[in-house]
Amino acid sequence: MSEHAKLREDICTLAKSMFDRGLTAGSSGNISARLSDGSVLVTPTGRALGFLDPAQISHLDANQKLLSGDPPTKETPLHAAFYETRAGTGAVVHLHSTHSVALSMLPDTDPDHVLPPLTPYTIMRVGKVKLLPFFLPGDPAMGDAVRGLAGKRSAVLLANHGPVVAGKDIWATAFAMEELEETAKLALITRGLSPRMLSPADVEAVVRQFDIDW
Ligand code: ZN
């Protein structure tokens, strides 16, 4: 199977898996992956992630011009901003996952570091997650806000909307997204219960051990 065909299959497999587990509802969420020639495959607009056909996936050139497939998600500028600013980005996943969205709405959420240090895995897979402001759906300013981070973050949380994660390939990116959502869930269910967080020394040890950009 060609790189192109395999990536189409992988996008549909992961999209269905995430949809089936309730990680994004209705026709929300979108996934993209970059091919070695610099062109990008992205999920089409208005389609539920659980019911994608590999042939319908939008194929865009490096300037987001549609080469084949259905029209792409209106959130394509969000994906493009990560490819432009983070060298080595092979995939971007964006969901409207409930617990992350809930965390984005709470007044005591730290906008520079959304997830509390509850487990080592978010530190290893996601790093520090930045809260971005609320934007109207489809507003290209979302992409500009990501560009404003100058490639320093691999994950952001759009207020009252949902998380976006960039990674080296589609599998690692999907796993990082799931880690982000699970940690948001842990943060919410332990909220007000004084959970034992990782200490600053624990965090530092994880960052050093796994050579994390922190
Ligand atoms: Zn969205």
Side-chain angles (χ1 to χ4, degrees):
M1 193 184 282
S2 70
E3 178 204 23
H4 189 138
K6 172 83 169 75
L7 259 186
R8 282 177 184 268
E9 294 275 348
D10 285 352
I11 287 172
C12 294
T13 300
L14 284 165
K16 178 168 167 41
S17 168
M18 289 191 274
F19 182 88
D20 287 351
R21 287 177 291 141
L23 291 169
T24 206
S27 63
S28 70
N30 32 76
I31 299 176
S32 69
R34 182 150 63 174
L35 291 147
S36 50
D37 66 3
S39 64
V40 171
L41 295 171
V42 60
T43 51
T45 185
R47 293 277 157 71
L49 290 190
F51 304 93
L52 294 174
D53 174 348
Q56 293 171 331
I57 301 285
S58 319
H59 184 204
L60 310 179
D61 70 11
N63 299 313
Q64 294 121 57
K65 184 173 162 286
L66 184 64
L67 298 171
S68 68
D70 289 0
T73 169
K74 291 183 191 70
E75 294 178 313
T76 298
L78 208 46
H79 296 247
F82 274 107
Y83 291 117
E84 282 169 32
T85 56
R86 283 182 66 86
T89 296
V92 177
V93 176
H94 165 55
L95 301 179
H96 296 184
S97 46
T98 309
H99 300 90
S100 305
V101 179
L103 206 56
S104 83
M105 300 165 177
L106 300 181
D108 55 357
T109 293
D110 178 352
D112 193 51
H113 192 180
V114 167
L115 299 172
L118 291 169
T119 76
Y121 308 105
T122 36
I123 297 168
M124 292 156 63
R125 299 209 168 105
V126 188
K128 281 184 184 166
V129 181
K130 178 88 174 173
L131 182 66
L132 294 180
F134 171 72
F135 297 96
L136 286 174
D139 185 346
M142 281 189 268
D144 296 337
V146 171
R147 282 185 196 89
L149 300 173
K152 292 199 174 70
R153 303 292 182 102
S154 68
V156 299
L157 179 57
L158 298 161
N160 303 69
H161 180 170
V164 193
V165 176
K168 66 178 167 48
D169 63 51
I170 189 160
W171 290 89
T173 309
F175 295 160
M177 170 58 85
E178 293 190 24
E179 201 60 55
L180 191 165
E181 171 63 7
E182 286 306 307
T183 305
K185 187 175 178 180
L186 282 173
L188 289 172
I189 64 179
T190 59
R191 201 158 180 266
L193 301 175
S194 304
R196 195 197 86 86
M197 307 256 180
L198 298 180
S199 68
D202 292 334
V203 173
E204 198 186 308
V206 172
V207 167
R208 201 176 335 108
Q209 176 81 18
F210 297 95
D211 196 20
I212 310 296
D213 195 10
W214 187 247

